[in-house]
Amino acid sequence: MSNQGYIHLYTGNGKGKTTAALGLALRALGAGKRIFIGQFVKGMPYAEEKALVRFPEITIKKFGRNCFIENEPTQEDISTACEGLSEIAQLVPSGEYDMIVLDEICIALHFKLFKTEEVLNILANRTSHLEIVLTGRYAPDALYEVADLVTEMKEIKHYYKTGVQARKGIEF
Amino acid sequence: MSNQGYIHLYTGNGKGKTTAALGLALRALGAGKRIFIGQFVKGMPYAEEKALVRFPEITIKKFGRNCFIENEPTQEDISTACEGLSEIAQLVPSGEYDMIVLDEICIALHFKLFKTEEVLNILANRTSHLEIVLTGRYAPDALYEVADLVTEMKEIKHYYKTGVQARKGIEF
């Protein structure tokens, strides 16, 4: 049996990974697909969520409590992420959605909130039509291997480096 | 006067450039911003357009007749693109929008539908709060220079190469 749904991986250090996943979700929405977005490692109130709630075909859940990029993850961060992953493990083989976005899952792996093998097992259980979109920098090699499509977003220039702060509606 | 709106450039050969711009537009929408999307060099009926029409704050226009990547652009392609660029030239200094996305403008430049200097002149006339998002592979050096943020989307792996066709809701 050949799959007709594929695994996408958007990684690298440049801006555009989460937005690419969102744009993909938007396009899929326009084609009548049902979408689930799980956000790992994100605590900020995303403006896109406000836009996306206008679409009843999208379900968004946050599986991250905080942006702990500069701190160590706490036990609570780990258990929130693991609970999220368990939910994903149920959804992936269920056929309930046509596209599942696991936003910043690579960061969750980088911080060892759960294991790469657990993610690989979940991906292996997907239904043949399910499209899965993985994002986040520091993707492990195993995700490069399992993905059907990999784009590395490479930062060439970023205005943060000239002192610009993250802005509502642009970065979050 | 320092600008508070920036120029983004998403280029390179990987999947994710247009979707990153769409995701950015979606996020901006959630923050209450007014958005204009001009699509150069695109003839396909994009599913995202069907999703985006649910938002009255977005205006989308197509300034391209065909996907002529494998053909030479016709005189009609050139005039359609130039008319689009004239419209953008009016909008950029007008203050009517908070974000203007010029999708595939780099491809339009690559095919010499109009000149890089014309685009640079338009960008120079922007109001200080306007965010401009440029996409497309083959961005000329001058756009790298003028942009405040540049991400190169690098194709590491693409399922097209294993014979997968473009699919509605995923590629268009």
Side-chain angles (χ1 to χ4, degrees):
Chain A
M1 184 196 68
S2 74
N3 277 337
Q4 296 183 280
Y6 295 92
I7 300 174
H8 299 230
L9 172 60
Y10 297 98
T11 189
N13 67 347
K15 182 172 168 67
K17 299 180 291 292
T18 294
T19 45
L22 287 172
L24 206 54
L26 191 72
R27 183 178 287 166
L29 210 54
K33 295 179 189 286
R34 301 152 303 163
I35 298 147
F36 183 93
I37 301 179
Q39 295 194 300
F40 291 90
V41 195
K42 287 261 176 83
M44 287 189 282
Y46 282 91
E48 57 260 33
E49 202 175 322
K50 285 195 194 154
L52 287 172
V53 292
R54 296 199 210 174
F55 297 97
E57 308 90 333
I58 277 200
T59 306
I60 308 174
K61 286 207 178 170
K62 287 200 169 64
F63 301 138
R65 207 175 50 98
N66 272 308
C67 198
F68 51 76
I69 307 295
E70 291 171 18
N71 303 300
E72 285 292 298
T74 65
Q75 193 54 49
E76 194 177 336
D77 291 323
I78 295 171
S79 50
T80 308
C82 290
E83 283 162 26
L85 198 68
S86 300
E87 191 169 337
I88 298 298
Q90 303 295 317
L91 287 180
V92 161
S94 75
E96 205 176 322
Y97 293 96
D98 303 300
M99 178 182 283
I100 294 181
V101 177
L102 303 178
D103 189 40
E104 303 289 10
I105 194 165
C106 301
I107 293 287
L109 287 169
H110 180 71
F111 281 94
K112 301 190 195 322
L113 303 190
F114 39 70
K115 289 185 180 149
T116 305
E117 293 70 46
E118 296 176 77
V119 176
L120 293 176
N121 286 338
I122 291 171
L123 295 177
N125 281 332
R126 72 190 189 280
T127 54
S128 64
H129 284 74
L130 179 64
E131 202 85 10
I132 298 185
V133 184
L134 313 168
T135 81
R137 58 175 78 191
Y138 311 127
D141 291 346
L143 290 190
Y144 274 76
E145 280 161 36
V146 79
D148 300 289
L149 181 145
V150 180
T151 301
E152 274 180 10
M153 273 65 169
K154 188 176 165 198
E155 180 184 304
I156 304 292
K157 226 186 203 185
H158 201 305
Y159 43 56
Y160 283 174
K161 295 199 172 151
T162 60
V164 177
Q165 301 294 310
R167 296 161 300 149
K168 184 180 173 188
I170 305 295
E171 272 77 37
F172 60 91
Chain B
M1 183 197 68
S2 75
N3 277 337
Q4 296 184 279
Y6 295 92
I7 300 175
H8 299 229
L9 172 60
Y10 297 99
T11 188
N13 66 347
K15 181 172 168 68
K17 299 180 290 293
T18 294
T19 44
L22 286 172
L24 207 53
L26 191 72
R27 183 178 285 166
L29 210 53
K33 294 180 190 285
R34 300 154 304 164
I35 298 147
F36 183 94
I37 302 179
Q39 294 193 300
F40 290 91
V41 195
K42 289 260 177 85
M44 288 190 278
Y46 281 91
E48 59 260 34
E49 202 176 323
K50 285 196 195 154
L52 287 172
V53 292
R54 296 200 210 173
F55 297 97
E57 309 88 332
I58 278 200
T59 306
I60 308 173
K61 287 208 179 168
K62 286 201 170 65
F63 300 140
R65 205 174 52 99
N66 272 309
C67 198
F68 51 77
I69 306 294
E70 291 171 20
N71 302 301
E72 284 292 298
T74 64
Q75 192 53 49
E76 193 176 335
D77 290 322
I78 296 172
S79 52
T80 308
C82 290
E83 282 163 26
L85 197 68
S86 299
E87 190 168 338
I88 298 298
Q90 303 295 317
L91 288 179
V92 161
S94 74
E96 205 176 322
Y97 292 95
D98 303 301
M99 178 182 283
I100 294 181
V101 177
L102 303 178
D103 189 40
E104 304 288 12
I105 193 165
C106 302
I107 293 287
L109 286 169
H110 180 71
F111 280 94
K112 301 190 194 325
L113 304 190
F114 39 71
K115 290 186 178 148
T116 305
E117 294 70 45
E118 296 176 77
V119 175
L120 293 175
N121 286 339
I122 290 171
L123 295 177
N125 281 333
R126 72 189 189 281
T127 54
S128 63
H129 284 74
L130 179 64
E131 203 85 11
I132 298 186
V133 184
L134 312 169
T135 81
R137 57 175 78 189
Y138 311 127
D141 291 347
L143 290 190
Y144 275 76
E145 279 162 36
V146 78
D148 300 290
L149 180 145
V150 180
T151 300
E152 274 180 9
M153 272 65 170
K154 190 178 165 197
E155 179 184 304
I156 304 293
K157 225 186 203 185
H158 201 304
Y159 43 56
Y160 284 174
K161 296 197 172 151
T162 60
V164 178
Q165 301 294 311
R167 296 161 300 149
K168 183 181 174 190
I170 306 295
E171 272 78 37
F172 60 92

